[in-house]
Amino acid sequence: MSLFGLFGQRRSAPVARERLQILLAHERSLCGQNDLLSILREEILGVIAKHVKVERDNVVVKMDRGDNVSLLEIDVEIPNSASPLLAMTA
Amino acid sequence: MAKVVVITSGKGGVGKTTSTAALGAALAQSGQKVVVVDFDVGLRNLDLLMGAERRVVYDLVNVTQGLAKLPQALIRDKRLENLHLLPASQTRDKDALTEEGVAQVITELRSWFDWVICDSPAGIERGATLAMRFADTALVITNPEVSSVRDSDRIIGLLDSKTKKAEDGERIEKHLLITRFDPARSATGEMLSIDDVLEILATPLLGIVPESQEVLRASNLGTPVTLSNPASAAARAYMAAAQRLMGEDVPMTIPSDKKSLFDKLFGRRAA
């Protein structure tokens, strides 16, 4: 074994450092995403509530993360009785 | 004004209880009035490291449930009269603690002591979140090792979201205490360096405690390391960390237990 190889084998700390940096960047983005989703959900609920009555449980906000783009899915269930305007057009 | 400090880490076995005992004693040795509180209900060990395991009568759970008054549960240290211990219950589990009960105990302790040091259990569940709940300052104990660093990152996230201070829109003060550090292995690239850990966790450093045989000796004796061997590297590191906690400007060094050539030749015990 070359001297370089012997030396290289001992230096495992740079590997640890790189693995941690990649892992934590990922884990932090997941936690941040949860926060973002709960903020979005609250604000969307607020906007809708100004105009129609909705149950909190009937507003679902989801995020699907892709490699290049992520998809934000907002699912709001509004009963027709909640808004006379909607009931008329339905 | 009293300061409430939580000693936390996420991962177990990194030195939370050892650090609580050593820093509590170091602050008391500097003349401060200190209480160390064991939050590890069901797996208490702070009493053992403080050498008070045979003096426990009442505990934190008894006090939060109103079965004992706080002064009845507090154990005064036999070596330092301004150091007290509030032990955890060994026979209950973490669900025995309520947020209201803990809030009341912490408020009362604040009025009697300069420092309230809360030894958190490992994990991120109820016991750990209650230990950090009312803290002004958090000390995150980290070993220079991947799993400890990852868990510290997680705990730092919880400190910023689950504490009373964070919920009130204030910032909780956070510091890292790196323990079990081996300067020689770090220098040869076998162990993460201090700079690596600081860069990854982006949290200010309070101190570096080198790996030291004196820590095991101290726990064998039931004496905080700053009392069992004040001249040892670990004790000096904890003393310096305690001074920084008190706001003193102490240069950051890594104390060493290395024997000098003279000591080696004449077989003297290094400090």
Side-chain angles (χ1 to χ4, degrees):
Chain A
M1 190 190 284
S2 72
L3 193 64
F4 181 77
L6 193 76
F7 191 61
Q9 215 174 37
R10 290 181 70 84
R11 286 180 54 83
S12 54
V15 182
R17 177 197 157 99
E18 202 182 312
R19 287 176 60 217
L20 273 170
Q21 278 171 333
I22 294 169
L23 175 72
L24 293 183
H26 176 67
E27 287 184 349
R28 283 172 191 157
S29 76
L30 286 180
C31 287
Q33 191 189 56
N34 285 338
D35 282 341
L36 174 69
L37 283 186
S38 58
I39 292 167
L40 276 175
R41 185 169 178 276
E42 286 309 308
E43 292 196 0
I44 290 166
L45 250 170
V47 170
I48 296 169
K50 264 197 257 177
H51 304 284
V52 284
K53 257 191 166 169
V54 284
E55 291 287 327
R56 291 184 64 87
D57 292 346
N58 291 345
V59 177
V60 180
V61 178
K62 275 196 280 192
M63 175 106 76
D64 282 323
R65 283 171 71 89
D67 287 337
N68 297 317
V69 282
S70 297
L71 185 71
L72 179 70
E73 191 183 322
I74 304 165
D75 196 348
V76 188
E77 194 180 301
I78 304 171
N80 286 343
S81 62
S83 160
L85 194 71
L86 278 178
M88 245 178 354
T89 53
Chain B
M1 212 182 76
K3 216 160 196 192
V4 179
V5 182
V6 61
I7 311 274
T8 186
S9 68
K11 189 179 181 303
V14 295
K16 282 182 297 297
T17 306
T18 297
S19 298
T20 303
L23 286 170
L27 288 166
Q29 283 165 283
S30 309
Q32 304 280 304
K33 276 162 72 181
V34 183
V35 61
V36 288
V37 186
D38 193 347
F39 271 84
D40 206 345
V41 177
L43 288 168
R44 75 171 177 219
N45 277 316
L46 187 55
D47 56 332
L48 205 49
L49 294 202
M50 301 284 293
E53 70 276 13
R54 285 154 54 125
R55 299 170 62 205
V56 178
V57 183
Y58 294 109
D59 56 57
L60 175 63
V61 173
N62 297 149
V63 177
T64 59
Q65 295 183 337
L67 297 172
K69 295 255 182 269
L70 194 47
Q72 293 177 290
L74 287 173
I75 303 170
R76 176 184 282 214
D77 189 87
K78 286 199 163 153
R79 300 144 296 208
L80 293 166
E81 64 165 20
N82 47 347
L83 177 61
H84 289 74
L85 163 71
L86 180 57
S89 167
Q90 181 69 346
T91 52
R92 308 295 295 272
D93 61 39
K94 267 97 184 159
D95 294 330
L97 286 179
T98 61
E99 181 169 335
E100 299 71 35
V102 171
Q104 213 171 349
V105 169
I106 297 282
T107 305
E108 210 172 328
L109 290 174
R110 266 184 199 274
S111 67
W112 295 347
F113 296 95
D114 300 320
W115 297 88
V116 180
I117 304 186
C118 306
D119 184 19
S120 170
I124 54 170
E125 288 79 26
R126 189 179 171 78
T129 50
L130 275 179
M132 68 171 68
R133 185 74 188 146
F134 302 99
D136 305 308
T137 301
L139 277 195
V140 180
I141 312 294
T142 308
N143 292 167
E145 177 270 326
V146 286
S147 53
S148 174
V149 174
R150 180 198 210 173
D151 292 359
S152 294
D153 190 74
R154 185 91 165 84
I155 276 291
I156 289 167
L158 289 181
L159 287 166
D160 286 331
S161 60
K162 293 274 162 94
T163 51
K164 187 83 175 53
K165 275 218 151 166
E167 281 179 12
D168 292 347
E170 294 174 58
R171 269 203 106 67
I172 178 163
E173 201 183 301
K174 300 181 297 279
H175 302 278
L176 282 187
L177 185 66
I178 299 180
T179 57
R180 309 201 70 163
F181 184 69
D182 185 332
R185 298 193 77 189
S186 177
T188 55
E190 292 170 79
M191 180 183 267
L192 286 168
S193 70
I194 299 294
D195 286 343
D196 287 339
V197 178
L198 294 183
E199 192 193 320
I200 293 167
L201 294 177
T203 301
L205 181 65
L206 186 83
I208 306 159
V209 183
E211 177 80 64
S212 167
Q213 299 186 353
E214 285 301 317
V215 171
L216 178 59
R217 186 169 167 269
S219 85
N220 288 344
L221 297 173
T223 308
V225 71
T226 52
L227 283 169
S228 67
N229 186 353
S232 65
R236 284 182 283 143
Y238 279 119
M239 274 294 196
Q243 286 170 320
R244 291 183 200 108
L245 209 51
M246 290 187 285
E248 291 173 34
D249 193 11
V250 181
M252 191 65 70
T253 55
I254 308 169
S256 155
D257 272 332
K258 281 223 175 71
K259 293 178 181 183
S260 69
L261 185 64
F262 181 85
D263 289 332
K264 278 182 187 163
L265 282 174
F266 295 94
R268 280 204 192 169
R269 211 181 126 74

